[in-house]
Amino acid sequence: MGYSTIFQGETRRLDILDMNGKVDRKAMPDIDQDQLMALYRSMRRMRTFDEKALKMQRQGRIGTYGSLRGQEAAQAGLAVHLSEDDDWLIQSFREHGILMARGVPMHTIYAYWKGDERGNLADRGIRCLPPSVPVGSQLLHATGIGIGLRKRGLPGIAVGFAGDGATSEGDFHEALNFAGVFRARTLFYIQNNGWAISVPFQKQTAAKTIAQRGHAYAVPAMQVDGNDVLAVYEASRIATDHIRNNHGPYLIEAETFRMGDHTTADDHTRYRSPDLVAHWAARDPIDRMRKFLIKEKILSHADDEAMGESLTAEIEAAVKDLESMPPPDPMSIFETMYAKKPWYLEEQQAMLRSELGSRAQESGS
Amino acid sequence: MGYSTIFQGETRRLDILDMNGKVDRKAMPDIDQDQLMALYRSMRRMRTFDEKALKMQRQGRIGTYGSLRGQEAAQAGLAVHLSEDDDWLIQSFREHGILMARGVPMHTIYAYWKGDERGNLADRGIRCLPPSVPVGSQLLHATGIGIGLRKRGLPGIAVGFAGDGATSEGDFHEALNFAGVFRARTLFYIQNNGWAISVPFQKQTAAKTIAQRGHAYAVPAMQVDGNDVLAVYEASRIATDHIRNNHGPYLIEAETFRMGDHTTADDHTRYRSPDLVAHWAARDPIDRMRKFLIKEKILSHADDEAMGESLTAEIEAAVKDLESMPPPDPMSIFETMYAKKPWYLEEQQAMLRSELGSRAQESGS
Amino acid sequence: MSEKTQKLTLIQGITQALRQEMERDAHVLILGEDVGRDGGVFRATDGLIEAFGDERVMDTPLAESGIIGISVGLAAVGYRPVAEIQFMGFIYPAMNQILAHVARFRHRSRGRIPMPLVIRMPYGGGIHAPEHHSESYEAMLANTPGLTVVIPSTPYDAKGLLTAAIRSDDPVIFMEPKRIYRSFREDVPATDYEVPLRQAVVRRTGTDVTLIGYGAMMRPVMEAAEFLARESVSAEVIDVRTVMPLDIETILASAEKTGRVVIVHEAPGRNGFGAELSALIAERALLHLLAPVQRVTGFDTVFPFAMMEDHYLPHRGRIVAAVQRTLAF
Amino acid sequence: MSEKTQKLTLIQGITQALRQEMERDAHVLILGEDVGRDGGVFRATDGLIEAFGDERVMDTPLAESGIIGISVGLAAVGYRPVAEIQFMGFIYPAMNQILAHVARFRHRSRGRIPMPLVIRMPYGGGIHAPEHHSESYEAMLANTPGLTVVIPSTPYDAKGLLTAAIRSDDPVIFMEPKRIYRSFREDVPATDYEVPLRQAVVRRTGTDVTLIGYGAMMRPVMEAAEFLARESVSAEVIDVRTVMPLDIETILASAEKTGRVVIVHEAPGRNGFGAELSALIAERALLHLLAPVQRVTGFDTVFPFAMMEDHYLPHRGRIVAAVQRTLAF
Ligand SMILES: Cc1ncc(C[n+]2csc(CCOP(=O)(O)OP(=O)(O)O)c2C)c(N)n1
Ligand SMILES: Cc1ncc(C[n+]2csc(CCOP(=O)(O)OP(=O)(O)O)c2C)c(N)n1
Ligand SMILES: [Mg+2]
Ligand SMILES: [Mg+2]
């Protein structure tokens, strides 16, 4: 009687590699030099991809593009724990890093941003859903897939991605709640980059963290320094093990920062101060890993440069692949709406075909 | 570096009056005998109203009805803290107790359940929204009203009602999150009666309580024994004071039990055991308050009986008011869709008018 | 029919289709609010959790977006979910999942991730239900490419159409006329069968006027046809069955034959599905029309509370009056 | 116009209406995603937070149901919220609030709680935007009694219609053709004014055929009319402006005059708003029709990605071809 305590909870955060390249040895994951180098290379590969995309957008060679600059650690550290054969990626729209790391050909990712539907589904297997633009809605698909994987007794897990803004949508709530109830094999992976376009996280919610929301659904959760690839690696290992061992869903909040504009249609200087951006630039995920690797003599300056050149070459090849794709077939608009095309789609397709035919004639072909 | 704790939280519950009518003196609110009697009478009034409604439903005098039996304490203990002049009630569909306690004429509540739209808006002032059937959706209205009251510097608060099932809807999440961000003068009042139709709370979420969800939004929260009118009184006092003093929103989870069917269209024996119902019958909110009052010599058996008779008389008068309402005007279907009726509503209204006219003629009037 | 039949109500036809498809295909799952222990608030899933367990008949939390959203995920990993929305008036929270994902997934994945998903729901008025329990919103779904919208009007069709819907690799919105869930029985084969999607059916042949309806409105429509027959007006009656993609051939053939058409539905008229029907008929059979197409629909108002719903819903008299207007034109 | 005017783009007309109404009436609030500091992703609310502060221009969390749901509450306590949905493709999460509450509140409260709420959103294709950023879903809103759905096509109308919408005591869905946000300027009075809701306007008079359009489609429609003029076909052009409740008089008057009608919109055709227009015209002006009404609409497919959207969107050639079909009938 009187007052009693019916709930007590805490939420933890993990930091390993600091902005100066120093690591907390006690917390250091069990990981060898090759793996360290692979993480570093993976991040640099994302950065090179991203820089090229921004350049192509300015040149009009692709359309509106959403940069992931600054979020490379948050994506590279997770990707290594995911199996291409078993695990499902349920992406939002800023996970090109994860896709690349998981083996999706880069030219198809560029194609997506070029406005080419052939880029909509990664062609490396069906275990990657197309990007989901309606913010937050994909998290429920991640829950559903995670429930299905458990039901079928499959080894895979589902990873649902979203940003900090997405956690305000009702679907975030429903996705975590259903996952808790039905013990989905799902990792909810939230990249909290501090901003939903112009809205800072502090205005997104009165709560201090996203990770603490796990308590609302009895879903275990952890926050991690998302610019620290080692901490991301370790947190992801813990979370994916937890799920693979049938202990139910998990929530990770990777705290990071979007260094550039929301997309190329945005101008982040309207709502963010240069100081804030500089603060985060000093915490760049790639720089700090480089400092660490050099200090540890795992990486030399010469190797680093050579890596840059090989990545540039790889990306240029991807651009070539992109630009040698034949133009998309206008008829494809009609082909995949239904298993069997209704009569009115037949009519509409015939109309477009004849329009294109007469245009082709007019232009003398 | 390494692991750090970024969130720690606890949630408390309040119990004062136990099932045997014993109170925890230390926790007892500062409340006099008249107030105790008023709480008791308020609960009995609700029960009498409810029993009559169920009877009338069986007789076909009203339509489908949702009983509140068992939830009287959860409604009576809150109602006394709400001002008819300033505070807003944003009801779901099982808050007739609150409405009655706040002065809404009972025959209008019966009219609602009779399928008469004149019962849709309590006619005791506009500060009570019509019942909201789409589960959970009304909580956002409570947030909006609470934000508006703060903006306007008004003394009132908004109380948004919902059940345990409603807390699974995305709107619950959005309502609490917006309330936290915009410091709404809103009390979220959740009657957790253990069931959403046939789904027990344990299947509604993996979390043990609803109150702990407050942490997800930095909204202070408390659980209370919802069958204990004194605990409800005290928790509601704390919460409403908090809000009135401009400290932002508050969440109360009143743990209670729906003793009967979900509505008269339901059969709860399909999904609940007699044992479970008996367990809760022993915890009846009215019985335990009666035991307490009698033990304390605040109430005599004779007074108790007299109270029953006067309440029955009051309810019978309300039924008379209900049944002497003139039939609703069919033309009212068209009258309040828009400030100004569009041409097609004019046409449709004219058609119905002429149909009714010719039917009246046929029947010789 | 030579095979074994039983006398079933419409809702029994639905329950049987669910049960037989679950027996036939282990990928068929049922999920929704109260579909388990309770057997659904209308008992459509009665007995199924006992037969198939709670991994195949899932009582979900109370959240429609969640129900449809996880169904998308379940379909992506090979299940064929049959989700129940408790009443059509509660489909709105799931609209984002239905319109932005369910309807588009096959296309967005370039055909690689179809959505063999059925979303069942009781719809429509006439049972004196509370507010928000009587809605008919086929029109907004019919404006959404990628969906198939099916509305049975008989026990036989209910079973056969639902079977076809569950076997379809495309998402089907399956709207059940709750007003006639139990109002009559008919012979239904005991074994499973499909009634093909995308096919309307002529319920009655006639020469003077075509009445087009679906779902619970088939009853007043047939009553009107019978009334008219007694007045020597021969009405042909079409039951649309699949609202989208609709069966234009059956409809145009009849309109061209009779030259007079009355369309009946209980949803609001403005931009209702009747608008598409009326437009298509006038656009494609203009020279056959002897009179303007008439629409008899619910009013463009909120669906009224129980005491007033009889004024709202199209009834025999209103349909006959519309026919008389087309005859008098 | 004798009064002072400025040359404004359509979006500038919108910003000016917002600013002037906020100055005029302290109950007008703006809320939505990125409407504050950022001035909205299209800059429609540019400068307003600086002028009116963050209690009147509220950057909200990213949740559309929340935005509309709290707007309902704000309206109930006397505010006149103007909510922005960032793109029409993201209106779905708010559908429950819009259809179950916003549209019905006046009625449900028996006229005592009106909803003086405006929901603004950019809609439509043609700007090579990503997926889900090009939707036009006027039809499903037009099937919902209680809503007013407005779509301007000029800077003058944008300002005047938005002003009227904000002053209206009924909820207005205000769809902004983002494709022409900045594509031309016209003279717009510097002071506030209303363009009345529920009134279509004849943009060009003609005798041979009536073209009906709205929003961003007015441009190809006018181009078609000009092209036809050069071929000696005199086209009358109607801009619907208020989709719902629609202005039947203006439309029927023109249809009766020309006897030939072509309706243009970019939303999918099946059960699009064109269906209602086509149906109404054939139902009410049958004997005046010299040819079947034609609809030129978006395909019944998902709105395609940027590289293919030009194939999808109705263009001059497609409209002219439809006119030629009606002339050849
Ligand atoms: C339902 C919905 N509402 C609005 C948008 C427009 N929009 C696209 S991204 C975005 C911000 C997303 O923020 P966050 O979730 O933090 O992800 P980030 O962009 O930071 O990676 C908004 C508002 C959308 N795509 N979907
Ligand atoms: C959005 C929505 N979905 C489904 C329903 C049908 N329904 C009405 S009440 C109810 C259960 C509500 O449970 P709870 O929130 O716990 O309230 P209680 O009935 O126990 O008071 C359901 C599923 C509804 N009214 N609205
Ligand atoms: Mg973000
Ligand atoms: Mg409950």
Side-chain angles (χ1 to χ4, degrees):
Chain A
M1 303 297 281
Y3 287 101
S4 54
T5 297
I6 52 165
F7 165 81
Q8 265 184 314
E10 70 163 10
T11 307
R12 298 200 303 165
R13 172 185 169 102
L14 180 59
D15 290 90
I16 297 178
L17 173 66
D18 77 7
M19 59 186 280
N20 303 312
K22 278 232 219 47
V23 300
D24 180 332
R25 297 277 165 202
K26 288 198 309 293
M28 188 71 185
D30 178 19
I31 179 173
D32 66 25
Q33 293 201 351
D34 287 351
Q35 288 174 299
L36 289 169
M37 278 298 285
L39 286 172
Y40 176 67
R41 187 175 196 283
S42 176
M43 290 195 287
R44 286 203 62 189
R45 190 160 169 265
M46 295 175 195
R47 175 88 36 112
T48 314
F49 173 93
D50 193 71
E51 285 171 347
K52 183 71 189 181
L54 288 166
K55 197 175 293 171
M56 288 200 292
Q57 192 279 332
R58 281 192 300 272
Q59 295 165 337
R61 292 158 74 187
I62 63 170
T64 305
Y65 171 73
S67 164
L68 63 87
R69 188 185 186 96
Q71 303 184 207
E72 293 89 349
Q75 302 195 17
L78 167 65
V80 293
H81 297 292
L82 301 178
S83 138
E84 282 184 37
D85 293 328
D86 299 324
D87 297 334
W88 284 73
L89 298 184
I90 300 93
Q91 40 168 342
S92 180
F93 47 79
R94 208 184 292 284
E95 281 78 40
H96 352 313
I98 286 274
L99 301 186
M100 292 168 53
R102 256 270 305 243
V104 172
M106 287 183 288
H107 74 281
T108 64
I109 307 174
Y110 283 139
Y112 174 81
W113 294 100
K114 192 177 176 180
D116 184 334
E117 312 209 359
R118 288 169 298 182
N120 209 5
L121 180 66
D123 61 5
R124 277 290 290 269
I126 207 172
R127 282 173 305 285
C128 174
L129 300 193
S132 172
V133 171
V135 163
S137 58
Q138 71 281 359
L139 294 176
L140 280 163
H141 310 161
T143 299
I145 291 174
I147 296 170
L149 293 172
R150 177 184 61 67
K151 277 187 199 295
R152 299 186 62 167
L154 290 172
I157 69 171
V159 187
F161 293 92
D164 44 304
T167 64
S168 294
E169 290 280 6
D171 278 358
F172 169 85
H173 173 75
E174 299 187 16
L176 270 91
N177 193 45
F178 275 69
V181 169
F182 294 116
R183 292 173 300 111
R185 290 172 71 86
T186 303
L187 170 59
F188 298 99
Y189 194 80
I190 311 297
Q191 294 177 68
N192 181 350
N193 62 11
W195 297 83
I197 310 186
S198 72
V199 178
F201 182 59
Q202 298 72 27
K203 287 190 176 183
Q204 199 64 242
T205 179
K208 290 277 168 296
T209 75
I210 291 166
Q212 76 197 59
R213 291 215 169 134
H215 294 298
Y217 315 102
V219 171
M222 189 192 290
Q223 194 189 59
V224 66
D225 178 352
N227 282 18
D228 168 353
V229 73
L230 300 177
V232 170
Y233 175 96
E234 181 62 6
S236 303
R237 187 191 61 72
I238 293 169
T240 54
D241 280 358
H242 172 98
I243 300 164
R244 287 190 208 285
N245 292 329
N246 278 321
H247 294 135
Y250 207 98
L251 167 66
I252 287 181
E253 174 186 10
E255 199 188 39
T256 178
F257 190 77
R258 153 168 68 75
M259 290 302 298
D261 294 323
H262 170 71
T263 67
T264 50
D266 176 45
D267 171 8
H268 74 118
T269 64
R270 284 178 72 91
Y271 52 81
R272 303 199 300 199
S273 70
D275 283 359
L276 180 71
V277 178
H279 171 91
W280 281 94
R283 284 158 183 78
D284 185 84
I286 299 181
D287 289 349
R288 64 168 95 170
M289 188 64 174
R290 179 186 300 113
K291 285 179 198 159
F292 167 71
L293 292 175
I294 286 180
K295 210 156 23 185
E296 299 283 319
K297 305 225 161 39
I298 299 168
L299 177 74
S300 71
H301 285 286
D303 290 350
D304 197 31
E305 228 162 87
M307 185 186 290
E309 278 158 28
S310 98
L311 290 173
T312 305
E314 188 190 352
I315 264 86
E316 290 302 333
V319 171
K320 220 179 207 156
D321 288 346
L322 171 74
E323 297 188 338
S324 59
M325 285 169 78
D329 177 7
M331 291 302 129
S332 71
I333 293 176
F334 305 98
E335 292 306 336
T336 47
M337 288 305 303
Y338 291 93
K340 185 172 167 297
K341 219 176 289 167
W343 59 268
Y344 45 86
L345 285 185
E346 296 282 7
E347 288 184 3
Q348 292 168 9
Q349 183 167 15
M351 182 190 75
L352 179 60
R353 193 181 288 120
S354 91
E355 278 185 11
L356 294 173
S358 57
R359 256 191 259 167
Q361 267 180 344
E362 272 171 43
S363 69
S365 70
Chain B
M1 302 298 280
Y3 287 100
S4 55
T5 296
I6 52 164
F7 165 81
Q8 266 184 315
E10 70 163 11
T11 306
R12 297 200 304 163
R13 172 184 168 101
L14 180 59
D15 290 270
I16 297 177
L17 174 65
D18 76 9
M19 59 186 280
N20 302 312
K22 278 231 218 53
V23 299
D24 180 331
R25 296 279 163 199
K26 287 198 309 292
M28 187 72 185
D30 178 19
I31 180 174
D32 66 25
Q33 295 201 351
D34 287 352
Q35 288 173 299
L36 289 168
M37 278 296 286
L39 285 172
Y40 176 68
R41 187 176 196 281
S42 177
M43 291 194 288
R44 286 204 62 189
R45 190 161 168 264
M46 295 175 195
R47 175 89 34 114
T48 315
F49 173 94
D50 193 72
E51 286 170 346
K52 183 70 190 181
L54 288 167
K55 196 174 294 169
M56 288 200 290
Q57 192 279 333
R58 282 191 299 272
Q59 297 165 338
R61 291 158 75 189
I62 63 171
T64 306
Y65 170 74
S67 165
L68 63 87
R69 189 185 186 97
Q71 303 184 206
E72 294 89 349
Q75 302 195 18
L78 167 65
V80 290
H81 298 292
L82 301 178
S83 139
E84 282 184 36
D85 293 327
D86 299 324
D87 297 333
W88 284 74
L89 298 184
I90 300 92
Q91 41 168 341
S92 178
F93 47 80
R94 208 183 291 284
E95 282 77 41
H96 352 312
I98 286 274
L99 302 186
M100 293 167 51
R102 256 269 306 243
V104 173
M106 286 183 289
H107 73 280
T108 64
I109 306 174
Y110 284 140
Y112 174 80
W113 295 100
K114 192 178 176 181
D116 184 333
E117 312 210 358
R118 289 169 298 183
N120 209 4
L121 180 66
D123 62 4
R124 277 289 292 268
I126 206 171
R127 282 173 304 286
C128 176
L129 301 193
S132 173
V133 171
V135 163
S137 58
Q138 71 281 359
L139 293 176
L140 280 164
H141 311 161
T143 299
I145 291 174
I147 296 170
L149 293 171
R150 178 184 58 68
K151 277 187 198 294
R152 299 185 62 167
L154 291 171
I157 70 171
V159 186
F161 293 93
D164 45 304
T167 64
S168 295
E169 290 280 4
D171 278 358
F172 169 85
H173 172 76
E174 299 188 16
L176 270 91
N177 193 45
F178 274 69
V181 169
F182 294 116
R183 291 173 301 112
R185 290 172 71 86
T186 302
L187 171 59
F188 298 100
Y189 194 81
I190 312 298
Q191 293 176 70
N192 182 350
N193 62 10
W195 297 83
I197 310 185
S198 72
V199 178
F201 182 59
Q202 298 73 28
K203 287 190 177 184
Q204 200 61 242
T205 179
K208 289 277 168 296
T209 75
I210 292 166
Q212 74 197 60
R213 290 214 170 134
H215 295 298
Y217 316 101
V219 170
M222 190 191 291
Q223 194 189 59
V224 67
D225 178 352
N227 282 18
D228 167 353
V229 73
L230 299 178
V232 170
Y233 175 96
E234 181 61 7
S236 303
R237 187 192 60 73
I238 293 169
T240 53
D241 281 357
H242 172 97
I243 300 164
R244 287 190 210 285
N245 292 327
N246 278 321
H247 294 136
Y250 207 98
L251 167 65
I252 288 180
E253 174 186 10
E255 199 188 39
T256 178
F257 190 78
R258 153 168 68 73
M259 291 301 299
D261 294 323
H262 170 71
T263 66
T264 50
D266 175 46
D267 172 8
H268 74 120
T269 64
R270 284 178 72 92
Y271 51 82
R272 303 199 301 198
S273 70
D275 282 359
L276 180 70
V277 177
H279 170 90
W280 281 94
R283 284 159 184 78
D284 185 83
I286 299 181
D287 288 349
R288 64 168 95 169
M289 188 64 173
R290 180 187 299 112
K291 284 180 199 159
F292 167 72
L293 293 174
I294 286 179
K295 210 159 16 188
E296 299 284 319
K297 306 228 162 35
I298 299 168
L299 177 74
S300 71
H301 286 287
D303 290 350
D304 197 32
E305 227 163 86
M307 186 186 289
E309 279 158 26
S310 99
L311 289 173
T312 305
E314 188 190 351
I315 263 86
E316 291 301 334
V319 170
K320 219 177 209 158
D321 288 346
L322 171 75
E323 297 188 337
S324 59
M325 285 170 77
D329 177 6
M331 291 302 129
S332 71
I333 293 177
F334 305 98
E335 292 305 336
T336 47
M337 287 305 303
Y338 291 92
K340 186 173 167 296
K341 218 178 290 167
W343 59 269
Y344 45 85
L345 285 185
E346 296 282 5
E347 287 184 5
Q348 293 167 8
Q349 183 166 18
M351 182 191 74
L352 179 60
R353 193 180 288 119
S354 91
E355 277 184 12
L356 295 172
S358 56
R359 256 190 259 168
Q361 268 182 340
E362 274 171 43
S363 70
S365 70
Chain C
M1 265 154 277
S2 64
E3 46 179 333
K4 222 184 113 223
T5 64
Q6 330 119 281
K7 291 262 178 217
L8 297 188
T9 61
L10 195 149
I11 195 164
Q12 286 171 331
I14 285 165
T15 309
Q16 198 168 81
L18 291 171
R19 178 183 285 271
Q20 289 178 345
E21 289 310 292
M22 290 188 82
E23 279 163 359
R24 189 173 168 274
D25 182 351
H27 295 100
V28 177
L29 299 180
I30 286 177
L31 71 167
E33 296 156 12
D34 305 294
V35 297
R37 245 333 234 303
D38 199 35
V41 293
F42 286 101
R43 309 288 176 252
T45 54
D46 200 19
L48 299 182
I49 196 168
E50 289 79 4
F52 300 100
D54 65 2
E55 284 287 349
R56 293 192 61 200
V57 181
M58 299 161 69
D59 266 327
T60 65
L62 206 177
E64 289 74 12
S65 187
I67 293 167
I68 305 305
I70 71 161
S71 296
V72 168
L74 288 165
V77 293
Y79 286 102
R80 304 182 85 83
V82 183
E84 176 174 306
I85 297 290
Q86 203 159 76
F87 288 85
M88 187 157 210
F90 308 133
I91 198 178
Y92 304 142
M95 276 295 185
N96 193 37
Q97 290 294 338
I98 296 174
L99 305 183
H101 290 297
V102 171
R104 306 167 73 127
F105 234 95
R106 172 186 286 278
H107 193 66
R108 299 179 63 235
S109 63
R110 302 184 63 74
R112 296 173 64 175
I113 311 182
M115 278 288 125
L117 168 60
V118 179
I119 308 178
R120 295 178 41 244
M121 71 206 75
Y123 87 93
I127 64 158
H128 297 272
E131 200 185 354
H132 295 283
H133 285 70
S134 302
E135 274 57 26
S136 308
Y137 281 137
E138 62 275 15
M140 61 180 67
L141 300 165
N143 183 231
T144 304
L147 296 179
T148 298
V149 182
V150 173
I151 312 183
S153 76
T154 69
Y156 179 88
D157 277 5
K159 179 176 172 185
L161 287 168
L162 182 54
T163 300
I166 293 172
R167 295 179 189 174
S168 161
D169 281 338
D170 286 323
V172 176
I173 308 286
F174 195 82
M175 292 170 55
E176 302 171 1
K178 60 176 174 290
R179 186 185 189 177
I180 55 169
Y181 260 158
R182 300 186 158 77
S183 53
F184 64 101
R185 291 171 185 273
E186 74 178 355
D187 278 332
V188 172
T191 55
D192 63 296
Y193 60 94
E194 290 186 46
V195 170
L197 307 179
R198 303 191 187 181
Q199 285 186 17
V201 63
V202 177
R203 292 281 178 211
R204 181 189 173 108
T205 56
T207 50
D208 297 332
V209 62
T210 300
L211 306 182
I212 306 179
Y214 47 91
M217 284 296 110
M218 289 313 294
R219 197 157 148 160
V221 165
M222 290 299 279
E223 285 169 6
E226 282 150 27
F227 179 92
L228 289 163
R230 292 195 293 274
E231 312 244 303
S232 306
V233 175
S234 162
E236 179 143 308
V237 174
I238 293 178
D239 181 350
V240 173
R241 295 202 294 198
T242 295
V243 162
M244 215 59 200
L246 80 171
D247 175 0
I248 186 79
E249 277 174 37
T250 304
I251 290 163
L252 285 185
S254 181
E256 286 171 6
K257 180 171 75 172
T258 64
R260 293 187 166 87
V261 181
V262 174
I263 298 161
V264 184
H265 61 65
E266 58 182 289
R270 297 279 80 77
N271 237 84
F273 179 62
E276 180 64 35
L277 286 174
S278 174
L280 279 176
I281 292 167
E283 287 162 11
R284 294 173 186 237
L286 184 67
L287 298 184
H288 297 86
L289 287 185
L290 303 170
V293 176
Q294 297 277 324
R295 287 183 274 168
V296 178
T297 69
F299 300 138
D300 288 289
T301 65
V302 171
F303 193 97
F305 276 28
M307 285 180 84
M308 227 101 90
E309 72 175 332
D310 292 343
H311 297 308
Y312 180 90
L313 287 167
H315 48 71
R316 190 191 75 178
R318 216 170 268 168
I319 298 166
V320 168
V323 169
Q324 281 158 350
R325 281 197 300 277
T326 76
L327 293 169
F329 184 78
Chain D
M1 264 155 278
S2 64
E3 45 178 335
K4 223 184 114 222
T5 64
Q6 329 118 281
K7 291 263 179 215
L8 297 188
T9 61
L10 195 149
I11 195 165
Q12 286 171 331
I14 285 165
T15 309
Q16 198 168 83
L18 292 170
R19 179 183 284 271
Q20 289 178 347
E21 289 310 291
M22 291 189 82
E23 278 163 358
R24 191 173 167 273
D25 182 350
H27 295 100
V28 177
L29 299 180
I30 286 177
L31 72 168
E33 297 156 10
D34 305 293
V35 296
R37 247 330 236 303
D38 198 36
V41 293
F42 286 101
R43 310 287 176 253
T45 55
D46 200 19
L48 298 182
I49 196 169
E50 288 80 3
F52 300 100
D54 66 2
E55 284 288 348
R56 293 192 62 202
V57 181
M58 299 161 69
D59 267 327
T60 65
L62 206 177
E64 288 75 12
S65 187
I67 293 167
I68 305 306
I70 72 162
S71 296
V72 168
L74 288 164
V77 293
Y79 286 102
R80 306 181 84 83
V82 182
E84 176 175 306
I85 297 290
Q86 203 159 74
F87 288 85
M88 187 159 209
F90 309 133
I91 198 178
Y92 304 141
M95 276 297 186
N96 193 36
Q97 289 294 339
I98 295 174
L99 305 183
H101 290 297
V102 171
R104 307 166 72 127
F105 234 95
R106 173 186 287 277
H107 193 66
R108 300 180 61 237
S109 63
R110 301 185 62 74
R112 296 174 63 175
I113 310 182
M115 278 288 126
L117 168 59
V118 179
I119 308 178
R120 295 179 39 244
M121 70 205 74
Y123 87 93
I127 64 159
H128 296 272
E131 200 184 356
H132 294 283
H133 284 72
S134 302
E135 273 57 27
S136 307
Y137 280 136
E138 63 275 14
M140 62 180 66
L141 299 165
N143 183 233
T144 305
L147 296 180
T148 297
V149 182
V150 173
I151 311 184
S153 75
T154 69
Y156 179 88
D157 277 6
K159 179 176 172 185
L161 287 168
L162 182 55
T163 301
I166 294 171
R167 294 179 189 173
S168 161
D169 280 340
D170 286 323
V172 176
I173 308 287
F174 196 82
M175 291 170 57
E176 302 172 1
K178 59 175 174 291
R179 185 185 190 176
I180 56 170
Y181 259 159
R182 300 186 159 79
S183 54
F184 64 100
R185 290 171 186 273
E186 76 178 352
D187 278 332
V188 172
T191 54
D192 64 296
Y193 61 93
E194 290 186 45
V195 170
L197 306 178
R198 304 191 187 182
Q199 284 185 17
V201 62
V202 176
R203 291 283 179 209
R204 181 189 174 109
T205 55
T207 50
D208 298 332
V209 61
T210 299
L211 305 182
I212 307 179
Y214 46 90
M217 284 297 110
M218 289 313 294
R219 199 159 147 159
V221 166
M222 290 299 278
E223 285 170 5
E226 281 150 29
F227 178 91
L228 289 164
R230 291 195 295 276
E231 314 243 302
S232 305
V233 176
S234 162
E236 179 143 309
V237 174
I238 293 177
D239 181 349
V240 173
R241 295 203 293 200
T242 295
V243 162
M244 216 58 200
L246 81 172
D247 175 359
I248 185 79
E249 277 174 38
T250 303
I251 289 163
L252 285 185
S254 181
E256 287 170 5
K257 181 171 76 173
T258 65
R260 294 186 164 88
V261 181
V262 174
I263 298 161
V264 184
H265 60 64
E266 58 182 287
R270 297 280 80 78
N271 238 82
F273 180 62
E276 180 64 35
L277 286 174
S278 173
L280 279 175
I281 291 167
E283 286 162 12
R284 293 172 187 238
L286 184 68
L287 298 185
H288 296 86
L289 287 185
L290 304 170
V293 175
Q294 298 277 324
R295 287 182 274 168
V296 178
T297 70
F299 299 138
D300 288 290
T301 65
V302 171
F303 193 98
F305 276 27
M307 283 179 85
M308 228 100 90
E309 72 175 331
D310 292 343
H311 297 308
Y312 180 91
L313 287 166
H315 49 70
R316 190 191 75 180
R318 217 170 267 168
I319 299 166
V320 168
V323 169
Q324 281 158 350
R325 282 196 300 277
T326 76
L327 292 169
F329 184 79

